[in-house]
Amino acid sequence: MEFTWDVIAGDEYDRIRALHEPLAEAVRRLIDASIHTAAGADTIERARQTIDAISTTLESTPTDRAPTLRHAETGLPVTWRNPAVGRHNPVAPPMIVHHEDGRCWSEFSLGPVYEGPPGLVHGGICALLLDQLLGEVATDQLSMPKFTGTITLKYLRGTPLGPLRAEAWVERNEQYKTYARGILADAQGTTVEAEGVFIMPAWARDGGGERSESGVAAG
């Protein structure tokens, strides 16, 4: 299915970002607090009622923005909702992806919200982050329409909560397929290795796989 993208001007993008990123950060703090609180029943009930009231207030004015937006100046897709890197999505890990010399990387810290086994990052979260990074490098910052065909992960050891680094790079291109590899690592070295195949859909192949004006998020 081909996507239709609306364009958002840079100043409007900056305005919305400045408004919503602090809100998302506040909700992230709330999520963490709700997991760790030892408050009593009365306090928790008052908190629940307050949260419900705030949710009702926010729900009363739903957005009319298109779900697929492209930044007017950069031409890149806007990924506010993305569950891996969406800056407006409170469940997204705090990962900002940097692109340099055909590779991408990110340094971030994961807390107990993303815990699987005690003290370790959930394996599904590791997969989510690496799928995102491999997709970003395979699509040149999500500017080309390619989707995850397959992704294979090798868990070398548990990934501890705390500071981490993720990297990804393109291994090779074959017609409409891009083969990418990546790693997740802590201070002691690699914890997870990943390799994936990203495929350009049939509707996007007339341009020969060149950078798409519309763009699409991989995944």
Side-chain angles (χ1 to χ4, degrees), residues 30-214:
L30 175 62
I31 293 170
D32 187 80
S34 70
I35 292 173
H36 295 100
T37 186
D42 290 344
T43 299
I44 289 178
E45 178 58 21
R46 287 196 303 272
R48 185 195 64 78
Q49 292 176 3
T50 301
I51 293 166
D52 281 346
I54 293 170
S55 296
T56 298
T57 299
L58 294 175
E59 290 167 351
S60 68
T61 312
T63 181
D64 59 358
R65 290 190 297 272
T68 50
L69 293 173
R70 178 168 57 85
H71 194 283
E73 280 73 22
T74 67
L76 297 176
V78 174
T79 56
W80 284 331
R81 299 183 179 188
N82 187 296
V85 292
R87 301 296 295 276
H88 297 186
N89 188 338
V91 304
M95 183 171 71
I96 299 175
V97 182
H98 306 276
H99 291 262
E100 185 177 11
D101 298 329
R103 301 172 73 95
C104 67
W105 59 274
S106 181
E107 292 182 346
F108 49 92
S109 184
L110 295 183
V113 170
Y114 303 102
E115 187 176 54
L120 300 176
V121 181
H122 192 289
I125 299 298
C126 297
L128 171 71
L129 300 181
L130 285 167
D131 184 34
Q132 180 69 31
L133 258 72
L134 267 64
E136 290 216 14
V137 78
T139 60
D140 188 14
Q141 302 184 58
L142 308 181
S143 67
M144 295 185 292
K146 294 182 182 179
F147 296 91
T148 308
T150 61
I151 185 167
T152 304
L153 293 101
K154 183 177 182 181
Y155 294 86
L156 304 180
R157 56 185 173 89
T159 300
L161 298 174
L164 299 168
R165 179 182 175 92
E167 301 179 30
W169 59 93
V170 171
E171 190 170 58
R172 68 184 188 279
N173 290 288
E174 293 181 1
Q175 294 185 324
Y176 302 117
K177 295 181 180 180
T178 296
Y179 295 78
R181 299 180 66 89
I183 62 166
L184 182 64
D186 65 359
Q188 281 66 54
T190 300
T191 62
V192 185
E193 297 175 345
E195 57 182 31
V197 181
F198 296 82
I199 303 171
M200 181 175 290
W203 56 259
R205 296 178 183 180
D206 291 343
E210 296 178 357
R211 184 183 180 94
S212 168
E213 184 180 86
S214 62

